[in-house]
Amino acid sequence: MADILNIGVTGLSASQSALTTTGNNITNANTPGYSRERVVLQPQPQQYLGVGYIGSGVKVAAVQRIVDQFYVGQLRSDTSTFNSLDVTATQLNQLDSLLADQSTGLSPATQQLFSDLQQASQDPTSVPTRQVVLSDIGSLAQRFNTLYGQLQAQGQAVNQRFTDLSSQATSLAQNIAQLNQSILDQGGTSTSPNSLLDQREELLRQLSELVGVKTVEQTDGMVNVFIGSGQPLVIGNTANTLSAVPSKTDPTQQTLQLSVGSSSIDVTSFVTGGQLGGLAAFQSGTLNTAFNTLGRIAISLTDAMNHQQRLGVDLNGNAGNNLFTDINSASAMSARVLRPATNTGTDQPSVFISNPSALTTSDYQLSFSSATAYTLTRASDGVAVASGTLAAGQTTIPAASSVDGFQIQISATPTFASGDRFTIQPTRLGAQNISVALQKPEELAFAQPIRTDTNTANKGGGIISQGQMVPEYQAPVAAASFNIANPLTQPLLIRYTSATAYQILNNANPAAPVAFVPALTGTITPGQNNIVQINTAAGVPSYQITLAGTPAAGDQFTVTANTGGSSDNRNALALAGLNLTQTIGRLNFADAYGQMVADIGAKTAAVKNNRDAADTLLTQSQTNRDSVSAVNLDEEAANLIKYQQTYQASAQVISIARSLFTSLLAAFQ
């Protein structure tokens, strides 16, 4: 009787445990990260009665947590990927909307300026028309400044997100470390503290939303968590600190720093996945490139228009002054170099833009392995574009030429030290620094400083162009080139000695022109355009004229200063023509900006597509995990009925055992 009674009791106990577990599943059906549980039953040891073994009931072997670690790991990985792409898509969409919008983008202001320059060239003496152009110049500068400010605001928002998300990641890491200790205290995985394991797994999933993680489980049940390329965030019951700090190379941007004990390492370039990985990739790639691309356009436009303006003559007959502030002002040159506080040398280099069309959209690192040995590395591809040892009295890096359109200027007696590093940003602040220098519309230099005339007594069909100033940055294209001191103030006489040969004379005294020593002579091909370039004695291009037609011996043409030429519109046309001039590599201003917008738009569309695909994979991974671990209320309801019936049957066994025991006692009364 006692055996039957004990068997019934074990059945009651097992059924009660199963009912309790089922009830717990039902009540936690909507708990994030909860994995359903089931009771694992085993038969009690059998007893030998001489004729064989007979059972002694049932026992609860374990309360098992139903989980597939492959699905859990896949869910964590897909969560990290989706969140990285989602935050990147959000940032890219904001940037794309800013640059492509007609009310905030650069294209409308640029088009308006060049359109009004074209209109002004039709009436170069009109002050109201000139005022419109001057207003357009101010609007364009303001548009550059505004775009830079918007990019800067987006960068500051990214910095704040770095701070917030790194703090959240550290908090999650600390909680995971605490759970590791609690799991160890409860016997580790040998006793399966299911609730704690679920909590830890949910925290790991939440952490993967912030940063890509890899986990390694120890034999004692604790989990180690690594980020990046293996940097430890959690080791056992110890959590390291992830924080956002100003970059050592660019204090305007935040970097991710992992503090392990008393040491700290910059893990920004290693972190992938999650929102932090997405933000780091956006900041170092697209955002910085946008800053530099916009700055390069601003610098190229400023320099080209300033050059062309200086080649002209204003309404008062004066040589043109800069439209915009000089791209190589002392403050602009100094601001292009960031000097870390860790440098021990005292020298502060500056950057001189020598060829805007050759500029790239990359930053650079200038590093010193000794007081004189340097290496200049382009950050975008890691190529060392210049290296060497400073010579005595050397004032530029490189010494004899420019790299990617710029030179680094240093003192003749530099004071660098081994380990010194500088971040070189040739174009980063271009859009911020652009501002209007010209204040009066009369100062717009719409006229060219030279003019040509044809002798009325000429007998041949020779033709001479009006003459065109040549910007300093434009490579000479002349078939014939002559060096003449002070060419803009030197009146010239061009006299044909035959139908194909000519001589250039000093025409300061038209009654008796004087030949230069040595004589300046040249030849033409009749019927073709023959470009003649007049340079200063130093060889810097000054202006070009074109000789064409079929001249006759004795024909004469003059080149003189364009005094009183207020109605001349040649330089206004040249300024308007800059809109189509390839001043940025092989692109003009509109094409360069259009390419920038198109690149960001294409990248935005691609990331959005990848984000949508990642969302689908994440949903699938969640479904796979839930198919194993989530609570199915229909199944649990069926289990309730099953375990209820088992409980009732076990109670009936006890009742029968009691009846038998009562009958046995009655037989002895």
Side-chain angles (χ1 to χ4, degrees):
M1 305 310 172
D3 292 339
I4 297 176
L5 184 62
N6 287 335
I7 289 173
V9 170
T10 61
L12 280 178
S13 178
S15 297
Q16 184 178 21
S17 296
L19 284 168
T20 301
T21 301
T22 301
N24 188 56
N25 285 341
I26 292 172
T27 56
N28 283 284
N30 297 316
T31 300
Y34 179 78
S35 300
R36 67 187 179 93
E37 300 172 350
R38 68 182 176 191
V39 172
V40 179
L41 302 178
Q42 288 183 352
Q44 293 273 26
Q46 293 181 324
Q47 296 178 357
Y48 183 69
L49 299 181
V51 294
Y53 290 90
I54 189 169
S56 60
V58 67
K59 68 176 181 179
V60 176
V63 178
Q64 187 179 38
R65 176 173 171 258
I66 309 301
V67 64
D68 187 316
Q69 288 299 331
F70 174 79
Y71 287 154
V72 170
Q74 191 64 47
L75 175 61
R76 195 184 301 147
S77 175
D78 289 343
T79 297
S80 177
T81 300
F82 169 75
N83 279 273
S84 176
L85 291 170
D86 186 50
V87 74
T88 303
T90 300
Q91 295 295 332
L92 280 171
N93 188 64
Q94 180 180 339
L95 184 59
D96 185 41
S97 299
L98 170 68
L99 298 175
D101 190 89
Q102 288 294 307
S103 61
T104 59
L106 190 63
S107 295
T110 306
Q111 293 170 1
Q112 187 65 48
L113 170 60
F114 288 109
S115 175
D116 286 340
L117 272 170
Q118 190 70 39
Q119 186 70 26
S121 69
Q122 300 177 20
D123 187 7
T125 61
S126 172
V127 174
T129 305
R130 287 168 168 263
Q131 183 61 59
V132 171
V133 172
L134 192 58
S135 297
D136 289 341
I137 293 172
S139 296
L140 180 59
Q142 183 61 44
R143 185 63 61 89
F144 271 111
N145 298 158
T146 300
L147 283 173
Y148 180 88
Q150 293 294 329
L151 291 179
Q152 190 177 46
Q154 188 168 1
Q156 291 170 348
V158 170
N159 286 342
Q160 186 59 51
R161 291 290 301 278
F162 268 132
T163 300
D164 296 341
L165 295 176
S166 60
S167 177
Q168 293 177 32
T170 297
S171 178
L172 288 171
Q174 292 171 346
N175 290 337
I176 291 170
Q178 292 172 3
L179 283 171
N180 274 343
Q181 183 62 50
S182 297
I183 290 170
L184 179 64
D185 292 342
Q186 294 193 19
T189 54
S190 60
T191 56
S192 190
N194 294 337
S195 178
L196 296 179
L197 294 174
D198 282 344
Q199 291 178 46
R200 186 176 67 184
E201 193 57 59
E202 175 61 15
L203 291 181
L204 287 170
R205 189 199 64 78
Q206 293 177 18
L207 182 61
S208 68
E209 293 180 352
L210 306 181
V211 62
V213 298
K214 297 178 182 178
T215 61
V216 176
E217 186 172 354
Q218 299 179 173
T219 55
D220 57 8
M222 293 197 289
V223 168
N224 299 329
V225 183
F226 302 91
I227 61 175
S229 57
Q231 288 73 29
L233 184 60
V234 178
I235 298 296
N237 58 2
T238 302
N240 296 317
T241 301
L242 187 66
S243 58
V245 298
S247 170
K248 293 180 180 179
T249 57
D250 185 355
T252 65
Q253 295 186 342
Q254 297 285 80
T255 58
L256 295 174
Q257 178 177 276
L258 183 65
S259 298
V260 181
S262 59
S263 63
S264 297
I265 55 174
D266 186 342
V267 296
T268 310
S269 59
F270 304 118
V271 166
T272 58
Q275 297 180 48
L276 285 171
L279 288 173
F282 171 77
Q283 181 190 65
S284 62
T286 306
L287 185 59
N288 286 346
T289 301
F291 270 117
N292 292 342
T293 302
L294 189 65
R296 182 176 65 164
I297 294 172
I299 289 173
S300 297
L301 184 144
T302 296
D303 190 62
M305 296 200 73
N306 279 351
H307 268 98
Q308 193 63 54
Q309 164 75 5
R310 291 198 302 268
L311 293 176
V313 177
D314 66 17
L315 199 57
N316 300 318
N318 299 319
N321 294 316
N322 283 342
L323 292 174
F324 300 98
T325 52
D326 187 5
I327 62 170
N328 286 318
S329 65
S331 59
M333 290 174 58
S334 177
R336 293 173 184 143
V337 180
L338 298 179
R339 182 182 185 278
T342 54
N343 282 4
T344 55
T346 58
D347 216 319
Q348 174 61 43
S350 61
V351 171
F352 177 82
I353 303 296
S354 56
N355 184 5
S357 65
L359 291 172
T360 72
T361 57
S362 178
D363 291 345
Y364 299 77
Q365 289 291 325
L366 176 64
S367 57
F368 286 85
S369 56
S370 70
T372 57
Y374 69 88
T375 301
L376 181 63
T377 305
R378 189 166 48 221
S380 60
D381 55 14
V383 172
V385 294
S387 61
T389 302
L390 298 178
Q394 181 177 336
T395 58
T396 63
I397 297 175
S401 62
S402 64
V403 171
D404 290 350
F406 68 91
Q407 283 184 328
I408 301 173
Q409 296 189 346
I410 58 177
S411 63
T413 55
T415 54
F416 299 110
S418 177
D420 281 0
R421 298 183 63 189
F422 299 88
T423 298
I424 309 299
Q425 298 179 325
T427 60
R428 176 63 60 91
L429 302 177
Q432 181 191 47
N433 291 340
I434 185 172
S435 61
V436 179
L438 208 66
Q439 300 299 321
K440 298 178 180 179
E442 294 87 353
E443 294 177 341
L444 287 168
F446 284 172
Q448 289 276 347
I450 61 166
R451 67 181 182 186
T452 62
D453 288 299
T454 302
N455 192 322
T456 57
N458 286 357
K459 298 178 180 180
I463 302 171
I464 187 171
S465 67
Q466 291 180 310
Q468 183 70 38
M469 298 303 300
V470 182
E472 296 171 20
Y473 57 81
Q474 180 175 310
V477 295
S481 182
F482 301 96
N483 294 336
I484 298 175
N486 305 317
L488 295 181
T489 59
Q490 176 65 69
L492 303 179
L493 175 68
I494 299 176
R495 176 187 294 162
Y496 281 93
T497 57
S498 72
T500 58
Y502 63 87
Q503 184 179 21
I504 300 177
L505 306 173
N506 183 335
N507 202 41
N509 181 6
V514 178
F516 288 97
V517 180
L520 304 182
T521 60
T523 60
I524 68 164
T525 301
Q528 296 183 7
N529 289 333
N530 301 270
I531 299 176
V532 178
Q533 186 157 298
I534 306 299
N535 305 321
T536 68
V540 178
S542 294
Y543 64 84
Q544 293 176 350
I545 56 176
T546 301
L547 300 176
T550 55
D555 285 357
Q556 298 182 146
F557 302 91
T558 58
V559 182
T560 59
N562 188 22
T563 56
S566 59
S567 60
D568 181 8
N569 69 347
R570 284 176 293 158
N571 209 51
L573 290 172
L575 284 167
L578 291 175
N579 188 38
L580 302 177
T581 303
Q582 295 177 348
T583 55
I584 306 174
R586 296 183 178 181
L587 301 175
N588 57 42
F589 304 126
D591 289 343
Y593 186 75
Q595 185 182 72
M596 174 187 180
V597 174
D599 288 345
I600 292 176
K603 186 177 293 186
T604 302
V607 171
K608 284 183 177 179
N609 289 336
N610 292 337
R611 188 265 314 274
D612 293 342
D615 189 23
T616 300
L617 291 176
L618 176 58
T619 301
Q620 181 179 338
S621 295
Q622 186 68 57
T623 301
N624 290 339
R625 182 267 176 195
D626 290 347
S627 67
V628 174
S629 301
V631 175
N632 185 320
L633 292 178
D634 291 336
E635 180 182 352
E636 300 303 327
N639 286 338
L640 279 178
I641 296 174
K642 179 176 69 174
Y643 295 136
Q644 179 186 14
Q645 292 175 342
T646 304
Y647 186 91
Q648 291 173 344
S650 296
Q652 187 65 27
V653 169
I654 294 175
S655 177
I656 292 173
R658 184 184 63 181
S659 297
L660 291 174
F661 189 67
T662 301
S663 299
L664 183 60
L665 289 177
F668 290 97
Q669 292 178 352

